[in-house]
Amino acid sequence: MYFFLSVAGGLGLLVGGLLVMRAGLRRVFSPALAGLLGRLTMTPWRGLLAGAAGAALMQSSTALTLMTVGLVSAECLSFRQGLGLVLGANIGTCSTVGLLALDPPRQALVPLLAASVLAAVLSRRLRSGALALSGMAAMLTGVQLLSGALAGLSEADTVVRWLAAAGCNPVAGIGGGVLLTFLFQSSSAATGLLMALAGEGTIGLTAAAYGVYGNNIGSCLSSLIVGAAAPLAAKRVAMAHILLNLAGVLVFLPFTALFVQAASLVADDFSARVAAMHTLFNLVSSLAVLPFAGAFASLVALLVPGRNGGA
């Protein structure tokens, strides 16, 4: 019963949070702020840099991607502007692997949600901003509830044993990486565990590479859920995030041996090599798409068709 309540509550917070954040953002974004955000994301390169900086500062590509979906949903950004932020978020999240100690306290989300709701109720001046903040906090709390429910189904040590036994089995390795991301609510935190396991010799570098692939696929869960309830342009942002990571895995998978060798050239110890693989995967995936951002956006629009392009 607890599992089903957690899943239902998590989904409700994710979808409801998106609607609340969209309403707040539409009110809080003055023409001047909207103009500044538009200039920051005017070109794919600018959007990538802004997204990378934002994900690095927030220490969460998931949070930035959810915020981007909210901004596009509120029509503060177009789909193509949001696409640049998503490409940058994948790069910015690489900083988290080296700064895992700065991971924000998870227990702070519920007080933040309660405080922002209270501010929205009591203060007319702060209402719009508090609505946007409470929507974002609700979405992240929903992610945690879903992750906690999944954690009840499969403990981390079980997944670790699965990864250790995976060897060169890509299906088991990628599946283990996806589950780790669900459990830790963060692809970077899951990569941090892979670093520790590789450093201890529990898993090999090939298994760690498959785990990195799975971590990036698992990070798309929130986009998949939120995108299902979002307007057309925001659906396309969510699809772009999913497609970017899936395409990256499909391209990297046949060259995993070369990928592992390249990481070995960059770093000496096993832990650093896993961090290098995480960074290389996200850098190459985003930078490879950037010159073809227009074609990539057209492909996403083809996969998520609709009258209003939101581009």
Side-chain angles (χ1 to χ4, degrees):
M1 179 62 72
Y2 174 78
F3 170 75
F4 293 108
L5 288 175
S6 296
V7 170
L11 289 173
L13 284 169
L14 265 176
V15 176
L18 172 66
L19 297 176
V20 172
M21 183 169 67
R22 180 172 64 184
L25 286 172
R26 279 179 171 170
R27 295 180 182 180
V28 78
F29 262 77
S30 65
L33 284 175
L36 174 62
L37 190 60
R39 288 192 295 274
L40 286 174
T41 56
M42 187 178 298
T43 66
W45 275 104
R46 287 187 184 184
L48 181 138
L49 292 174
L57 289 172
M58 298 171 70
Q59 289 295 292
S60 173
S61 62
T62 299
L64 183 65
T65 301
L66 290 176
M67 186 176 292
T68 301
V69 172
L71 288 168
V72 174
S73 179
E75 299 179 357
C76 300
L77 287 176
S78 70
F79 159 58
R80 290 177 185 266
Q81 288 173 310
L83 176 59
L85 289 176
V86 169
L87 293 176
N90 267 22
I91 294 176
T93 190
C94 298
S95 68
T96 315
V97 173
L99 299 171
L100 289 176
L102 298 180
D103 210 21
R106 297 173 182 176
Q107 63 270 24
L109 276 179
V110 174
L112 175 63
L113 176 58
S116 55
V117 170
L118 191 62
V121 172
L122 297 180
S123 174
R124 185 169 297 179
R125 291 181 60 189
L126 299 176
R127 185 163 297 161
S128 297
L131 278 175
L133 183 60
S134 63
M136 185 65 188
M139 292 169 75
L140 294 177
T141 304
V143 171
Q144 290 195 2
L145 275 176
L146 286 171
S147 301
L150 289 166
L153 293 179
S154 178
E155 298 296 335
D157 58 348
T158 303
V159 182
V160 169
R161 288 197 296 270
W162 187 5
L163 278 169
C168 295
N169 185 336
V171 175
I174 292 173
V178 171
L179 285 176
L180 280 181
T181 303
F182 287 169
L183 294 176
F184 287 95
Q185 308 161 31
S186 166
S187 62
S188 298
T191 302
L193 178 59
L194 292 177
M195 291 166 60
L197 294 173
E200 295 169 0
T202 305
I203 63 173
L205 284 179
T206 300
Y210 294 143
V212 168
Y213 299 158
N215 292 348
N216 282 276
I217 293 175
S219 69
C220 299
L221 173 67
S222 301
S223 294
L224 181 64
I225 296 172
V226 173
L232 177 62
K235 285 181 189 292
R236 289 177 174 173
V237 172
M239 174 57 74
H241 182 217
I242 296 166
L243 188 61
L244 174 68
N245 285 341
L246 281 177
V249 170
L250 291 175
V251 170
F252 270 80
L253 191 57
F255 306 102
T256 299
L258 291 175
F259 183 41
V260 170
Q261 290 179 11
S264 300
L265 294 175
V266 173
D268 294 330
D269 63 278
F270 279 10
S271 295
R273 288 173 184 175
V274 176
M277 286 192 288
H278 177 80
T279 301
L280 285 172
F281 177 87
N282 287 286
L283 273 174
V284 172
S285 296
S286 291
L287 292 179
V289 169
L290 190 61
F292 311 101
F296 184 67
S298 298
L299 174 61
V300 173
L302 184 65
L303 294 174
V304 187
R307 275 192 203 173
N308 299 320

